[in-house]
Amino acid sequence: MPVITTESVLKALSTVIEPDLHRDLVSLNMIKNVQVSGHHISFSVELTTPACPLKELIERDCRQALYRHFGDEVVVEITMTADVSRGNRLMETNVLPEVRNIVAVASGKGGVGKSTVAANLAVALAQTGARVGLVDTDIYGPSVPTMFGATEVRPRVNADRKIIPIEQYGVKLLSMGFLVDPDQAAIWRGPMVTSAVQQFIRDAEWGALDYLLLDLPPGTGDIQLTLVQTVPITGAVIVSTPQEVALADARRGVAMFQKVNVPVLGFVENMAYFTPPDLPDRKYYLFGEGGAKRLAAKMQVPLLGEIPIEQIVRESGDDGAPVVMSHPGSLSAAAFRYAAEETARVIAVLNAENGNEAPIFEIEA
Ligand SMILES: Nc1ncnc2c1ncn2[C@@H]1O[C@H](COP(=O)(O)OP(=O)(O)O)[C@@H](O)[C@H]1O
Ligand SMILES: [Mg+2]
């Protein structure tokens, strides 16, 4: 067997390609802490997100590259770690130096499950080990307090007069609902809402976060437009249901983000199909089939996931624990975890393309 050195290990690993970024792990600077002792090789692979769905594949490719290079007798010990990359817009500002990405969760209209998707994405990302925050900006219909079982909670303020987010299921939370009585919300005007939300984001003690999710108010009006222009958003996830009317609104959502050059990370189709619990192989497309997929293809936006309608999704929301927390083995929980991984993956690719303009989408009149 040839003498193994750090250099020869790196040479072998430079044949392993990161499937999303299409470059090798060594030139991407993802291989850390290589140690060689006789025929023992150990190192870390630093992924761009702990939610990486390709973790096992990359680990296996590394192992195989080393066996190919040095023979089957080598003992390989790999530690998979992650260091989430930072969004371009956050890099350009001094706002929130410890926050890596701000992700807007938006919808063209209310009732499509935007808050449910935001809550489950947040918890699913946190379950992978990511540091996650969630801001519920919907003053007229805040649902984060209910969905996280935190209706009685009031956030405290620290010595620097910064609001301290509450923490539930591994997610740091702030909601307009913590501060404003829903009956009083009607008197809030747009500018008051946007400045309150901006305070939530800038003047809260978030600490270090990989993903800060914003549950935007539904629609594409002035409040939404101001928010997406004044917050350094990495990208937006647009939630829709399969009906044509909802999809038309989703399209308007894409147009809004495009107008202000915020990248659209993709669509999540919620209530995409129904699978009766006693017929687990069936999928009934109650609201039509494949609508979001077609729209995604047409607008060249990724489809990040298709979430089934399940009674426990609603029940879990009402009972104060998102379904990925309360029923991790359910169909919908699996679909939410997939959507969370895809979102993290699209963000990682976008950030790697550093300096690129937001993708341009063709919008039909
Ligand atoms: N996939 C789903 N299956 C079943 N019920 C759902 C699903 N997604 C959302 N819901 C329910 O639909 C209602 C609206 O969802 P919500 O997240 O509050 O919508 P939005 O924030 O878009 O107004 C809630 O009662 C929620 O529990
Ligand atoms: Mg909502």
Side-chain angles (χ1 to χ4, degrees):
M1 192 161 58
V3 176
I4 304 174
T5 61
T6 307
E7 288 70 38
S8 59
V9 168
L10 286 174
K11 187 159 176 251
L13 292 175
S14 71
T15 62
V16 180
I17 304 297
E18 211 282 349
D20 279 332
L21 306 178
H22 310 294
R23 273 174 58 197
D24 74 274
L25 301 187
V26 176
S27 71
L28 285 167
N29 203 20
M30 288 168 70
I31 306 295
K32 307 275 175 181
N33 198 24
V34 180
Q35 291 184 11
V36 181
S37 163
H39 65 293
H40 285 253
I41 302 169
S42 72
F43 58 92
S44 304
V45 179
E46 193 177 80
L47 303 168
T48 47
T49 173
C52 180
L54 306 168
K55 212 184 266 187
E56 277 86 37
L57 178 78
I58 292 172
E59 185 175 347
R60 199 196 62 201
D61 287 354
C62 287
R63 224 170 261 287
Q64 282 175 353
L66 293 170
Y67 293 147
R68 225 176 15 248
H69 218 81
F70 302 114
D72 293 343
E73 309 91 272
V74 290
V75 179
V76 180
E77 192 186 318
I78 305 176
T79 310
M80 302 300 282
T81 65
D83 187 26
V84 174
S85 49
R86 197 143 184 256
N88 277 357
R89 277 181 179 72
L90 272 160
M91 301 245 262
E92 290 159 6
T93 68
N94 288 324
V95 191
L96 300 169
E98 290 184 284
V99 173
R100 302 284 173 90
N101 295 286
I102 299 181
V103 181
V105 181
S107 68
K109 67 191 200 83
V112 298
K114 176 177 47 59
S115 299
T116 304
V117 170
N120 280 286
L121 290 183
V123 176
L125 286 168
Q127 286 172 340
T128 69
R131 299 163 300 178
V132 182
L134 172 61
V135 180
D136 174 10
T137 69
D138 190 353
I139 182 170
Y140 305 113
S143 40
V144 158
T146 307
M147 288 192 301
F148 283 82
T151 46
E152 304 303 319
V153 184
R154 291 293 169 269
R156 291 178 304 118
V157 172
N158 71 11
D160 303 328
R161 304 194 52 77
K162 289 195 160 203
I163 312 169
I164 307 169
I166 68 151
E167 201 163 333
Q168 186 75 297
Y169 314 131
V171 177
K172 290 186 175 174
L173 300 171
L174 278 181
S175 169
M176 293 298 283
F178 293 151
L179 304 187
V180 184
D181 180 342
D183 299 333
Q184 300 275 299
I187 62 162
W188 279 58
R189 295 287 165 259
M192 287 166 76
V193 176
T194 44
S195 72
V197 171
Q198 282 159 8
Q199 262 188 39
F200 261 10
I201 295 166
R202 284 197 212 119
D203 300 331
E205 191 191 270
W206 289 109
L209 291 180
D210 294 317
Y211 306 102
L212 177 57
L213 273 58
L214 302 187
D215 180 0
L216 289 186
T220 48
D222 283 344
I223 292 181
Q224 293 80 358
L225 196 58
T226 309
L227 283 177
V228 302
Q229 276 176 300
T230 52
V231 175
I233 295 172
T234 304
V237 172
I238 296 182
V239 181
S240 182
T241 52
Q243 296 96 322
E244 281 307 323
V245 278
L247 291 166
D249 287 324
R251 184 192 291 254
R252 270 190 282 283
V254 174
M256 175 180 76
F257 287 106
Q258 183 192 32
K259 192 153 106 190
V260 295
N261 278 310
V262 172
V264 172
L265 302 172
F267 290 125
V268 171
E269 187 172 61
N270 189 30
M271 312 196 200
Y273 58 89
F274 175 68
T275 295
D278 47 346
L279 294 169
D281 299 329
R282 292 279 175 81
K283 283 183 176 178
Y284 292 99
Y285 294 89
L286 305 181
F287 301 133
E289 185 175 351
K293 193 179 269 176
R294 279 192 298 278
L295 184 62
K298 198 187 228 167
M299 301 187 92
Q300 296 183 358
V301 171
L303 182 62
L304 302 168
E306 295 166 291
I307 316 297
I309 302 181
E310 256 189 320
Q311 192 168 332
I312 49 163
V313 173
R314 185 195 49 75
E315 287 170 356
S316 302
D318 290 348
D319 294 346
V323 74
V324 291
M325 190 74 213
S326 63
H327 296 81
S330 63
L331 272 183
S332 47
F336 280 125
R337 281 193 298 270
Y338 177 85
E341 289 177 353
E342 285 298 299
T343 303
R345 177 153 96 133
V346 173
I347 291 171
V349 173
L350 188 71
N351 290 348
E353 291 167 354
N354 223 340
N356 279 13
E357 292 295 305
I360 305 299
F361 305 114
E362 289 296 322
I363 300 198
E364 287 176 24

